[in-house]
Tab-separated table of all heavy atoms in Angstrom:
chain	number	residue	atom	x	y	z
W	598	ASN	N	42.703	37.522	35.260
W	598	ASN	CA	42.885	38.592	36.239
W	598	ASN	C	43.942	38.210	37.270
W	598	ASN	O	44.274	37.030	37.447
W	598	ASN	CB	41.560	38.882	36.959
W	598	ASN	CG	40.402	39.061	36.001
W	598	ASN	OD1	40.427	39.944	35.161
W	598	ASN	ND2	39.397	38.197	36.121
W	599	THR	N	44.440	39.230	37.955
W	599	THR	CA	45.309	39.025	39.111
W	599	THR	C	44.775	39.861	40.261
W	599	THR	O	44.179	40.932	40.041
W	599	THR	CB	46.761	39.439	38.811
W	599	THR	OG1	46.807	40.855	38.545
W	599	THR	CG2	47.313	38.668	37.628
W	600	LEU	N	45.000	39.372	41.483
W	600	LEU	CA	44.481	40.081	42.649
W	600	LEU	C	45.463	39.951	43.800
W	600	LEU	O	45.987	38.865	44.069
W	600	LEU	CB	43.117	39.519	43.050
W	600	LEU	CG	42.291	40.369	44.012
W	600	LEU	CD1	40.804	40.174	43.753
W	600	LEU	CD2	42.596	40.075	45.464
W	601	ASP	N	45.704	41.061	44.498
W	601	ASP	CA	46.592	41.103	45.657
W	601	ASP	C	45.837	41.686	46.835
W	601	ASP	O	45.010	42.596	46.675
W	601	ASP	CB	47.830	41.952	45.366
W	601	ASP	CG	48.712	41.354	44.290
W	601	ASP	OD1	49.573	40.545	44.623
W	601	ASP	OD2	48.509	41.700	43.105
W	602	SER	N	46.153	41.185	48.033
W	602	SER	CA	45.563	41.724	49.244
W	602	SER	C	46.408	41.316	50.440
W	602	SER	O	47.226	40.396	50.360
W	602	SER	CB	44.122	41.244	49.435
W	602	SER	OG	44.102	39.857	49.727
W	619	ASN	N	44.219	46.682	51.538
W	619	ASN	CA	45.102	46.913	50.383
W	619	ASN	C	44.792	45.954	49.229
W	619	ASN	O	45.681	45.293	48.692
W	619	ASN	CB	46.573	46.789	50.786
W	619	ASN	CG	46.971	47.777	51.856
W	619	ASN	OD1	46.464	48.894	51.899
W	619	ASN	ND2	47.880	47.378	52.724
W	620	VAL	N	43.508	45.882	48.860
W	620	VAL	CA	43.089	44.980	47.799
W	620	VAL	C	43.353	45.649	46.441
W	620	VAL	O	43.046	46.822	46.245
W	620	VAL	CB	41.604	44.624	47.933
W	620	VAL	CG1	41.198	43.626	46.860
W	620	VAL	CG2	41.321	44.055	49.327
W	621	LYS	N	43.893	44.870	45.509
W	621	LYS	CA	44.174	45.377	44.160
W	621	LYS	C	43.864	44.287	43.146
W	621	LYS	O	44.518	43.251	43.116
W	621	LYS	CB	45.631	45.816	44.038
W	621	LYS	CG	45.986	46.413	42.684
W	621	LYS	CD	47.433	46.866	42.658
W	621	LYS	CE	47.803	47.488	41.323
W	621	LYS	NZ	49.238	47.920	41.303
W	622	LEU	N	42.840	44.532	42.306
W	622	LEU	CA	42.434	43.600	41.264
W	622	LEU	C	42.795	44.199	39.906
W	622	LEU	O	42.374	45.306	39.580
W	622	LEU	CB	40.922	43.331	41.339
W	622	LEU	CG	40.312	42.508	40.207
W	622	LEU	CD1	40.910	41.115	40.167
W	622	LEU	CD2	38.790	42.443	40.357
W	623	VAL	N	43.577	43.473	39.113
W	623	VAL	CA	44.020	43.948	37.809
W	623	VAL	C	43.363	43.087	36.738
W	623	VAL	O	43.556	41.862	36.712
W	623	VAL	CB	45.556	43.896	37.679
W	623	VAL	CG1	45.991	44.377	36.295
W	623	VAL	CG2	46.211	44.743	38.764
W	624	THR	N	42.555	43.719	35.871
W	624	THR	CA	41.929	43.030	34.752
W	624	THR	C	42.540	43.537	33.449
W	624	THR	O	43.451	44.359	33.453
W	624	THR	CB	40.411	43.275	34.748
W	624	THR	OG1	40.146	44.625	34.344
W	624	THR	CG2	39.822	43.040	36.124
W	625	LYS	N	42.006	43.052	32.343
W	625	LYS	CA	42.520	43.459	31.039
W	625	LYS	C	42.294	44.945	30.796
W	625	LYS	O	43.097	45.603	30.131
W	625	LYS	CB	41.841	42.635	29.949
W	625	LYS	CG	42.308	42.947	28.538
W	625	LYS	CD	41.677	42.009	27.535
W	625	LYS	CE	40.170	42.153	27.518
W	625	LYS	NZ	39.523	41.330	26.475
W	626	ASP	N	41.222	45.489	31.360
W	626	ASP	CA	40.855	46.879	31.079
W	626	ASP	C	41.022	47.806	32.275
W	626	ASP	O	41.110	49.022	32.088
W	626	ASP	CB	39.393	46.943	30.615
W	626	ASP	CG	39.152	46.066	29.399
W	626	ASP	OD1	39.761	46.344	28.359
W	626	ASP	OD2	38.371	45.104	29.506
W	627	TYR	N	41.034	47.259	33.499
W	627	TYR	CA	41.007	48.109	34.676
W	627	TYR	C	41.991	47.637	35.742
W	627	TYR	O	42.378	46.474	35.784
W	627	TYR	CB	39.600	48.114	35.311
W	627	TYR	CG	38.571	48.918	34.559
W	627	TYR	CD1	37.525	48.300	33.893
W	627	TYR	CD2	38.650	50.304	34.533
W	627	TYR	CE1	36.575	49.034	33.202
W	627	TYR	CE2	37.703	51.045	33.853
W	627	TYR	CZ	36.675	50.416	33.194
W	627	TYR	OH	35.745	51.150	32.526
W	628	THR	N	42.325	48.565	36.613
W	628	THR	CA	42.996	48.266	37.876
W	628	THR	C	42.078	48.736	38.987
W	628	THR	O	41.734	49.917	39.052
W	628	THR	CB	44.357	48.963	37.968
W	628	THR	OG1	45.204	48.485	36.916
W	628	THR	CG2	45.011	48.679	39.307
W	629	ILE	N	41.668	47.810	39.860
W	629	ILE	CA	40.676	48.098	40.883
W	629	ILE	C	41.341	48.021	42.252
W	629	ILE	O	41.992	47.025	42.566
W	629	ILE	CB	39.511	47.096	40.803
W	629	ILE	CG1	38.919	47.104	39.389
W	629	ILE	CG2	38.441	47.404	41.840
W	629	ILE	CD1	37.927	46.000	39.133
W	630	THR	N	41.174	49.060	43.048
W	630	THR	CA	41.739	49.089	44.396
W	630	THR	C	40.644	49.428	45.394
W	630	THR	O	39.798	50.286	45.137
W	630	THR	CB	42.871	50.121	44.495
W	630	THR	OG1	42.373	51.421	44.125
W	630	THR	CG2	44.030	49.766	43.580
W	631	ASN	N	40.677	48.751	46.523
W	631	ASN	CA	39.768	49.088	47.618
W	631	ASN	C	40.257	48.375	48.870
W	631	ASN	O	41.359	47.825	48.894
W	631	ASN	CB	38.319	48.730	47.275
W	631	ASN	CG	37.988	47.278	47.531
W	631	ASN	OD1	38.836	46.399	47.425
W	631	ASN	ND2	36.732	47.021	47.867
W	632	ASP	N	39.433	48.349	49.905
W	632	ASP	CA	39.846	47.748	51.177
W	632	ASP	C	39.118	46.445	51.471
W	632	ASP	O	39.621	45.621	52.217
W	632	ASP	CB	39.591	48.734	52.323
W	632	ASP	CG	40.263	48.299	53.613
W	632	ASP	OD1	41.504	48.240	53.627
W	632	ASP	OD2	39.548	48.001	54.583
W	633	THR	N	37.942	46.238	50.874
W	633	THR	CA	37.177	45.014	51.115
W	633	THR	C	36.537	44.571	49.804
W	633	THR	O	35.843	45.359	49.170
W	633	THR	CB	36.079	45.247	52.170
W	633	THR	OG1	36.674	45.731	53.365
W	633	THR	CG2	35.333	43.957	52.461
W	634	LEU	N	36.772	43.314	49.427
W	634	LEU	CA	36.289	42.827	48.138
W	634	LEU	C	36.005	41.337	48.224
W	634	LEU	O	36.728	40.594	48.896
W	634	LEU	CB	37.332	43.110	47.056
W	634	LEU	CG	37.064	42.659	45.622
W	634	LEU	CD1	37.693	43.639	44.658
W	634	LEU	CD2	37.673	41.273	45.370
W	635	GLN	N	34.943	40.905	47.538
W	635	GLN	CA	34.659	39.488	47.353
W	635	GLN	C	34.750	39.177	45.864
W	635	GLN	O	34.260	39.949	45.038
W	635	GLN	CB	33.268	39.124	47.880
W	635	GLN	CG	33.177	39.045	49.384
W	635	GLN	CD	31.838	38.536	49.855
W	635	GLN	OE1	30.915	38.359	49.067
W	635	GLN	NE2	31.713	38.302	51.154
W	636	TYR	N	35.365	38.043	45.534
W	636	TYR	CA	35.578	37.706	44.133
W	636	TYR	C	35.234	36.240	43.918
W	636	TYR	O	35.753	35.362	44.616
W	636	TYR	CB	37.021	37.979	43.739
W	636	TYR	CG	37.348	37.645	42.310
W	636	TYR	CD1	36.716	38.296	41.266
W	636	TYR	CD2	38.283	36.668	41.999
W	636	TYR	CE1	37.016	38.003	39.947
W	636	TYR	CE2	38.597	36.361	40.689
W	636	TYR	CZ	37.958	37.033	39.660
W	636	TYR	OH	38.263	36.733	38.364
W	641	LYS	N	33.597	35.096	37.876
W	641	LYS	CA	34.465	36.255	37.622
W	641	LYS	C	33.765	37.566	37.995
W	641	LYS	O	33.962	38.597	37.363
W	641	LYS	CB	34.904	36.300	36.159
W	641	LYS	CG	35.650	35.047	35.693
W	641	LYS	CD	36.976	34.894	36.398
W	641	LYS	CE	37.824	33.788	35.787
W	641	LYS	NZ	37.220	32.453	35.890
W	642	VAL	N	32.958	37.518	39.051
W	642	VAL	CA	32.243	38.703	39.521
W	642	VAL	C	32.879	39.172	40.823
W	642	VAL	O	33.141	38.367	41.723
W	642	VAL	CB	30.746	38.397	39.743
W	642	VAL	CG1	30.034	39.610	40.344
W	642	VAL	CG2	30.092	38.018	38.419
W	643	ALA	N	33.137	40.478	40.914
W	643	ALA	CA	33.735	41.076	42.115
W	643	ALA	C	32.689	41.934	42.816
W	643	ALA	O	31.948	42.684	42.172
W	643	ALA	CB	34.947	41.916	41.737
W	644	TYR	N	32.637	41.809	44.163
W	644	TYR	CA	31.720	42.581	44.984
W	644	TYR	C	32.556	43.516	45.859
W	644	TYR	O	33.487	43.073	46.532
W	644	TYR	CB	30.871	41.655	45.859
W	644	TYR	CG	30.069	40.639	45.072
W	644	TYR	CD1	30.644	39.432	44.669
W	644	TYR	CD2	28.750	40.888	44.725
W	644	TYR	CE1	29.924	38.498	43.947
W	644	TYR	CE2	28.016	39.949	43.998
W	644	TYR	CZ	28.604	38.765	43.619
W	644	TYR	OH	27.895	37.843	42.899
W	645	PHE	N	32.191	44.820	45.875
W	645	PHE	CA	32.991	45.815	46.572
W	645	PHE	C	32.257	46.349	47.789
W	645	PHE	O	31.046	46.543	47.763
W	645	PHE	CB	33.311	46.980	45.640
W	645	PHE	CG	34.041	46.563	44.394
W	645	PHE	CD1	33.352	46.370	43.210
W	645	PHE	CD2	35.394	46.352	44.412
W	645	PHE	CE1	34.009	45.978	42.060
W	645	PHE	CE2	36.065	45.963	43.274
W	645	PHE	CZ	35.376	45.768	42.100
W	646	PHE	N	33.020	46.621	48.819
W	646	PHE	CA	32.509	47.236	50.033
W	646	PHE	C	33.516	48.288	50.474
W	646	PHE	O	34.695	47.992	50.630
W	646	PHE	CB	32.292	46.196	51.140
W	646	PHE	CG	31.431	45.031	50.709
W	646	PHE	CD1	32.010	43.887	50.164
W	646	PHE	CD2	30.056	45.084	50.834
W	646	PHE	CE1	31.234	42.819	49.766
W	646	PHE	CE2	29.266	44.019	50.436
W	646	PHE	CZ	29.857	42.878	49.900
W	647	GLY	N	33.049	49.500	50.669
W	647	GLY	CA	33.956	50.578	51.037
W	647	GLY	C	34.448	51.319	49.794
W	647	GLY	O	34.162	50.947	48.659
W	648	PRO	N	35.185	52.421	49.989
W	648	PRO	CA	35.676	53.221	48.857
W	648	PRO	C	36.462	52.370	47.858
W	648	PRO	O	37.409	51.686	48.231
W	648	PRO	CB	36.570	54.256	49.542
W	648	PRO	CG	36.035	54.373	50.931
W	648	PRO	CD	35.564	53.000	51.298
W	649	THR	N	36.041	52.410	46.599
W	649	THR	CA	36.636	51.588	45.540
W	649	THR	C	36.953	52.466	44.339
W	649	THR	O	36.125	53.278	43.930
W	649	THR	CB	35.667	50.474	45.114
W	649	THR	OG1	35.339	49.680	46.265
W	649	THR	CG2	36.278	49.589	44.048
W	650	ARG	N	38.140	52.271	43.765
W	650	ARG	CA	38.551	53.021	42.574
W	650	ARG	C	38.904	52.041	41.463
W	650	ARG	O	39.677	51.105	41.681
W	650	ARG	CB	39.750	53.919	42.892
W	650	ARG	CG	39.375	55.112	43.746
W	650	ARG	CD	40.591	55.897	44.219
W	650	ARG	NE	40.183	57.069	44.956
W	650	ARG	CZ	39.861	57.066	46.246
W	650	ARG	NH1	39.920	55.941	46.923
W	650	ARG	NH2	39.485	58.188	46.842
W	651	ILE	N	38.321	52.276	40.302
W	651	ILE	CA	38.592	51.471	39.114
W	651	ILE	C	39.238	52.396	38.078
W	651	ILE	O	38.603	53.325	37.585
W	651	ILE	CB	37.312	50.839	38.547
W	651	ILE	CG1	36.636	49.969	39.619
W	651	ILE	CG2	37.604	50.022	37.317
W	651	ILE	CD1	35.363	49.316	39.149
W	652	VAL	N	40.475	52.132	37.762
W	652	VAL	CA	41.233	52.977	36.845
W	652	VAL	C	41.392	52.229	35.523
W	652	VAL	O	41.878	51.090	35.501
W	652	VAL	CB	42.615	53.324	37.433
W	652	VAL	CG1	43.415	54.189	36.465
W	652	VAL	CG2	42.452	54.036	38.772
W	653	GLY	N	40.974	52.866	34.413
W	653	GLY	CA	41.070	52.245	33.099
W	653	GLY	C	41.568	53.214	32.049
W	653	GLY	O	41.749	54.412	32.308
W	657	ASN	N	37.963	56.533	34.693
W	657	ASN	CA	38.016	55.956	36.029
W	657	ASN	C	36.611	55.898	36.615
W	657	ASN	O	35.736	56.696	36.269
W	657	ASN	CB	38.926	56.772	36.936
W	657	ASN	CG	40.320	56.911	36.362
W	657	ASN	OD1	40.781	56.038	35.616
W	657	ASN	ND2	41.002	57.990	36.679
W	658	ILE	N	36.419	54.948	37.544
W	658	ILE	CA	35.149	54.795	38.244
W	658	ILE	C	35.436	54.770	39.739
W	658	ILE	O	36.398	54.150	40.187
W	658	ILE	CB	34.414	53.515	37.822
W	658	ILE	CG1	34.117	53.525	36.311
W	658	ILE	CG2	33.121	53.340	38.596
W	658	ILE	CD1	33.493	52.247	35.806
W	659	TYR	N	34.581	55.446	40.502
W	659	TYR	CA	34.697	55.439	41.964
W	659	TYR	C	33.328	55.114	42.548
W	659	TYR	O	32.295	55.577	42.062
W	659	TYR	CB	35.167	56.796	42.483
W	659	TYR	CG	35.092	56.906	43.992
W	659	TYR	CD1	36.142	56.474	44.782
W	659	TYR	CD2	33.960	57.426	44.619
W	659	TYR	CE1	36.069	56.567	46.166
W	659	TYR	CE2	33.878	57.515	45.993
W	659	TYR	CZ	34.938	57.087	46.762
W	659	TYR	OH	34.864	57.170	48.126
W	660	ALA	N	33.311	54.302	43.586
W	660	ALA	CA	32.070	53.991	44.294
W	660	ALA	C	32.425	53.469	45.678
W	660	ALA	O	33.578	53.145	45.962
W	660	ALA	CB	31.235	52.968	43.528
W	663	GLY	N	29.342	48.062	45.462
W	663	GLY	CA	28.885	47.684	44.140
W	663	GLY	C	29.382	46.336	43.686
W	663	GLY	O	30.005	45.577	44.437
W	664	VAL	N	29.103	46.050	42.407
W	664	VAL	CA	29.424	44.771	41.784
W	664	VAL	C	30.077	45.056	40.437
W	664	VAL	O	29.636	45.948	39.700
W	664	VAL	CB	28.158	43.914	41.580
W	664	VAL	CG1	28.506	42.592	40.918
W	664	VAL	CG2	27.461	43.668	42.909
W	665	TYR	N	31.116	44.281	40.114
W	665	TYR	CA	31.756	44.416	38.805
W	665	TYR	C	31.976	43.022	38.227
W	665	TYR	O	32.589	42.163	38.852
W	665	TYR	CB	33.090	45.155	38.918
W	665	TYR	CG	33.819	45.263	37.590
W	665	TYR	CD1	33.280	45.996	36.546
W	665	TYR	CD2	35.032	44.620	37.386
W	665	TYR	CE1	33.938	46.098	35.333
W	665	TYR	CE2	35.701	44.721	36.174
W	665	TYR	CZ	35.143	45.462	35.150
W	665	TYR	OH	35.791	45.556	33.954
W	666	ASN	N	31.452	42.810	37.021
W	666	ASN	CA	31.603	41.541	36.318
W	666	ASN	C	32.784	41.672	35.369
W	666	ASN	O	32.710	42.403	34.372
W	666	ASN	CB	30.321	41.203	35.549
W	666	ASN	CG	30.326	39.776	35.017
W	666	ASN	OD1	31.329	39.301	34.506
W	666	ASN	ND2	29.193	39.105	35.137
W	667	THR	N	33.871	40.953	35.670
W	667	THR	CA	35.078	41.090	34.857
W	667	THR	C	34.943	40.414	33.497
W	667	THR	O	35.748	40.676	32.599
W	667	THR	CB	36.292	40.508	35.593
W	667	THR	OG1	36.102	39.105	35.808
W	667	THR	CG2	36.492	41.195	36.930
W	670	ARG	N	32.171	42.926	31.805
W	670	ARG	CA	32.671	44.278	31.982
W	670	ARG	C	31.532	45.254	32.276
W	670	ARG	O	31.521	46.382	31.812
W	670	ARG	CB	33.461	44.729	30.758
W	670	ARG	CG	34.694	43.874	30.498
W	670	ARG	CD	35.169	43.976	29.086
W	670	ARG	NE	35.681	45.300	28.770
W	670	ARG	CZ	36.020	45.691	27.543
W	670	ARG	NH1	35.919	44.838	26.542
W	670	ARG	NH2	36.469	46.899	27.331
W	671	VAL	N	30.567	44.773	33.057
W	671	VAL	CA	29.452	45.605	33.491
W	671	VAL	C	29.588	45.840	34.988
W	671	VAL	O	29.787	44.894	35.756
W	671	VAL	CB	28.093	44.939	33.175
W	671	VAL	CG1	26.950	45.758	33.763
W	671	VAL	CG2	27.916	44.787	31.672
W	672	SER	N	29.497	47.092	35.408
W	672	SER	CA	29.599	47.437	36.828
W	672	SER	C	28.275	48.014	37.303
W	672	SER	O	27.583	48.717	36.567
W	672	SER	CB	30.720	48.454	37.052
W	672	SER	OG	30.513	49.602	36.250
W	674	PHE	N	27.313	50.046	40.625
W	674	PHE	CA	27.864	50.652	41.832
W	674	PHE	C	26.821	51.508	42.527
W	674	PHE	O	25.919	52.066	41.893
W	674	PHE	CB	29.086	51.511	41.510
W	674	PHE	CG	30.284	50.704	41.115
W	674	PHE	CD1	31.042	51.055	40.010
W	674	PHE	CD2	30.642	49.589	41.842
W	674	PHE	CE1	32.145	50.311	39.645
W	674	PHE	CE2	31.738	48.839	41.488
W	674	PHE	CZ	32.492	49.198	40.385
Side-chain angles (χ1 to χ4, degrees):
N598 311 300
T599 64
L600 195 149
D601 295 272
S602 69
N619 300 326
V620 183
K621 183 178 181 181
L622 173 62
V623 179
T624 72
K625 181 175 62 175
D626 303 297
Y627 285 110
T628 298
I629 305 170
T630 58
N631 83 329
D632 192 64
T633 303
L634 179 147
Q635 285 186 353
Y636 179 62
K641 302 294 189 297
V642 175
Y644 302 84
F645 302 98
F646 307 91
T649 302
R650 288 172 176 83
I651 302 180
V652 179
N657 304 332
I658 300 175
Y659 171 87
V664 179
Y665 177 65
N666 191 317
T667 63
R670 298 159 67 188
V671 174
S672 56
F674 289 134

